[in-house]
Amino acid sequence: MSLDEAQGAAVRPADAADTENPVPPPAPAADRPAGDRPGPEAKAGGWAALRPLLLRLHFYAGLLIAPLLFLAAATGLLYAGSWQAEKILYADELTVDRVGEAAVPLSTQVAAARHAEPEGKVVAVWPAPDAEATTRVIMEAPGLAEGETRTVFVDPYTAQVDGALTTNGDALPLRAWLSEFHASLQLGEFGRNYSELAASWLWVVALGGAALWIGRRRTSKARLVLPDRKATGRRRTLSWHGTVGLWAALGLVALSATGLTWSKYAGENIGQLQDRLGGATPSVSASLTPGQAAGGDEHAGHVMTEDMEMPPAAPTADIGIDRAVAAAREAGATESLQVTLPAKGHGYVVKEKDREFPVHFDTVAVDPADGRVMDVLRFSDYPLLAKLTRFGIDLHMGQTFGLANQIVLAALAVAVMLLVFWGYRMWWLRRPTKDRVLSAGRAQPRGAWRKLPVTLLLPLAAATAAVGWFVPLLGLSLVAFLAVDMLLGALAGRRAKAEAGAAG
């Protein structure tokens, strides 16, 4: 039996009204509730021809991809709350006991961290960003996984060590774990396919659903943006599904686009396109000339900070971190600094990492031999695409507007979970009879694409092929859906012919 047949042969059309009661014959369009009617379809071509195809795509995408969207939303909701949770959970490490009059030199704080973690190799230092915060001394240490570092938290007023944690970038253990859980369900590279597949389809489902909802005929314009509380059954569920989906559509498309920048397959294509358009993120020049670079410490490790990697071995001539930071501050790097220690052939790199609006991302390279500023990179000099990428990523992570940003992300996550729930509820309510436990609602009938005019079909096919190539998991899953759908259709046709022959 085909998928459509398993869902029940006797069902009302895709836009039928309430199914709380046994299904009566479909009412004439004029007699149906205005809030649950399709849009005007009397005109040939255009929306009238495209709408059935969107209905079928939205139905199957929602039915088959919805579990992944629900997982991504649930894990994203946990991640959105992790920013505030880590402030509470790690308050002892992140904040000082008492604000002092003046901070001790950074070199003294680094020495205290080295004493507390003698097996670690200091690769970066994050001076306390505000009066109540501790300084973070970032170390490489034996036994850590790839990407992990050991962070020692030092009181900037007393140089007392307040604790040490295994971190990943700027994420403390809780947020680091939840970040990986959101990205891969803690299943490694294989698990990342789930999040990429969800992000690949999210914008399709969101835009398709918004178009279907806007295209419906309604007697009151308020029903477009507000749910119909007087409706019952499926119509009530559809009203909530449509209005909440419409309100959330723009945010969901933004989450999809920014999420794909981290993905394995689509992310690579996005990066290449950005580079070709001249939007690559620039980097500061911290390289020393051959005459300036000296032999180095064989134990100096590669930098594990967020945005750069350095070769091993630091130069012997070193003015010290205090003078390097002072030179960078004079050059304009002042907000929430991260200092990368010099490695062989490279100087100090002092970078601003204040992601809250207005952002501060200026970077200064300082010669370790004499404190000379070698290069300055202003965020204002970034290409437009690089700026948009930076803003998009930080908005997706909940950093740009702080708590407000995190609340919006949490609201979008809850919206996706509700939309999935309502979608499955409508699918269940459209089952033909309640005495058949396994029956459920069917999709728009096959063959909707054949009704499209050539002037619409050809551009649509070309756009679909281009998007499928650019977002590979979307294209592959769409091809797989079409193949399965064609196979089920062929089997249903053969079975129908066989049954007709037997009946004859």
Side-chain angles (χ1 to χ4, degrees):
M1 181 177 291
S2 72
L3 180 59
D4 282 348
E5 290 172 328
Q7 291 169 334
V11 298
R12 66 180 71 187
D15 291 292
D18 182 19
T19 56
E20 288 293 319
N21 301 311
V23 180
D31 296 331
R32 296 180 195 171
D36 196 39
R37 295 183 206 159
E41 297 189 11
K43 298 180 180 179
W47 174 247
L50 183 60
R51 185 176 181 278
L53 185 63
L54 279 179
L55 277 170
R56 187 168 179 82
L57 178 64
H58 189 72
F59 176 88
Y60 276 115
L63 189 65
L64 302 177
I65 306 298
L68 301 182
L69 296 178
F70 191 93
L71 277 175
T75 56
L77 177 62
L78 294 175
Y79 181 79
S82 68
W83 292 94
Q84 302 304 316
E86 72 176 6
K87 291 180 181 179
I88 299 173
L89 187 61
Y90 304 112
D92 291 341
E93 289 84 2
L94 293 173
T95 58
V96 299
D97 295 330
R98 184 178 63 86
V99 177
E101 295 182 359
V104 300
L106 273 178
S107 55
T108 304
Q109 300 177 48
V110 173
R114 283 198 174 106
H115 180 74
E117 297 278 339
E119 294 185 354
K121 301 185 289 285
V122 178
V123 292
V125 179
W126 297 6
D130 56 63
E132 297 181 349
T134 54
T135 293
R136 301 190 192 189
V137 180
I138 316 297
M139 298 181 175
E140 290 181 334
L144 296 179
E146 182 180 358
E148 290 184 342
T149 53
R150 189 69 176 166
T151 299
V152 180
F153 300 84
V154 182
D155 188 322
Y157 305 105
T158 64
Q160 175 184 341
V161 173
D162 287 345
L165 296 169
T166 298
T167 56
N168 195 318
D170 67 343
L172 303 186
L174 174 64
R175 184 157 57 86
W177 192 92
L178 288 175
S179 176
E180 185 62 26
F181 187 48
H182 176 59
S184 68
L185 300 179
Q186 292 292 341
L187 297 177
E189 286 300 319
F190 174 79
R192 290 186 178 275
N193 292 327
Y194 116 85
S195 58
E196 180 168 356
L197 188 58
S200 299
W201 276 97
L202 179 58
W203 67 275
V204 178
V205 175
L207 291 180
L212 289 171
W213 183 246
I214 293 173
R216 298 184 68 83
R217 181 187 303 161
R218 47 182 58 83
T219 56
S220 172
K221 293 183 179 179
R223 292 289 175 262
L224 175 65
V225 295
L226 295 175
D228 184 1
R229 297 186 179 182
K230 296 181 180 180
T232 58
R234 180 182 172 275
R235 284 184 54 225
R236 182 182 179 90
T237 304
L238 176 63
S239 179
W240 280 97
H241 183 86
T243 53
V244 172
L246 183 64
W247 280 102
L250 183 61
L252 298 182
V253 172
L255 285 178
S256 175
T258 53
L260 286 174
T261 61
W262 283 302
S263 63
K264 181 177 181 179
Y265 304 106
E268 182 177 349
N269 290 335
I270 292 172
Q272 292 177 356
L273 177 63
Q274 184 176 343
D275 292 346
R276 290 173 182 173
L277 295 177
T281 300
S283 59
V284 71
S285 176
S287 298
L288 303 170
T289 63
Q292 292 173 298
D297 178 6
E298 64 180 355
H299 298 294
H302 66 277
V303 175
M304 297 298 296
T305 50
E306 197 170 357
D307 294 314
M308 67 182 60
E309 293 183 357
M310 296 291 188
T316 55
D318 192 345
I319 59 173
I321 189 171
D322 297 294
R323 288 182 59 187
V325 170
R329 290 187 184 277
E330 290 180 2
T334 58
E335 302 293 333
S336 189
L337 302 180
Q338 64 178 35
V339 184
T340 300
L341 300 190
K344 183 179 181 180
H346 293 76
Y348 283 95
V349 176
V350 183
K351 179 177 182 177
E352 295 179 320
K353 59 181 182 67
D354 180 15
R355 287 173 163 78
E356 291 196 19
F357 188 82
V359 300
H360 298 89
F361 286 121
D362 292 350
T363 307
V364 178
V366 179
D367 191 324
D370 54 16
R372 176 179 58 88
V373 173
M374 298 187 295
D375 190 24
V376 177
L377 176 62
R378 306 292 183 192
F379 184 64
S380 58
D381 295 331
Y382 277 38
L384 178 60
L385 282 178
K387 290 180 180 177
L388 293 177
T389 300
R390 181 75 267 170
F391 286 133
I393 290 175
D394 292 338
L395 283 169
H396 188 110
M397 295 179 66
Q399 291 183 284
T400 302
F401 297 106
L403 180 59
N405 196 166
Q406 295 148 26
I407 291 174
V408 170
L409 290 178
L412 287 173
V414 171
V416 170
M417 296 166 72
L418 288 174
L419 290 170
V420 170
F421 170 75
W422 288 326
Y424 276 117
R425 176 170 169 77
M426 286 189 293
W427 174 61
W428 178 250
L429 288 176
R430 290 186 59 228
R431 68 194 191 279
T433 59
K434 293 190 176 182
D435 57 343
R436 294 173 58 190
V437 179
L438 296 179
S439 63
R442 65 160 57 182
Q444 185 79 11
R446 293 185 180 90
W449 64 272
R450 298 190 187 96
K451 300 178 182 179
L452 292 175
V454 176
T455 54
L456 183 59
L457 178 61
L458 293 180
L460 182 62
T464 301
V467 171
W469 174 86
F470 193 76
V471 187
L473 290 191
L474 172 63
L476 290 175
S477 57
L478 182 58
V479 169
F481 157 68
L482 292 175
V484 171
D485 196 50
M486 290 174 64
L487 177 61
L488 292 175
L491 293 176
R494 291 180 60 183
R495 181 171 288 105
K497 290 181 179 179
E499 292 175 353

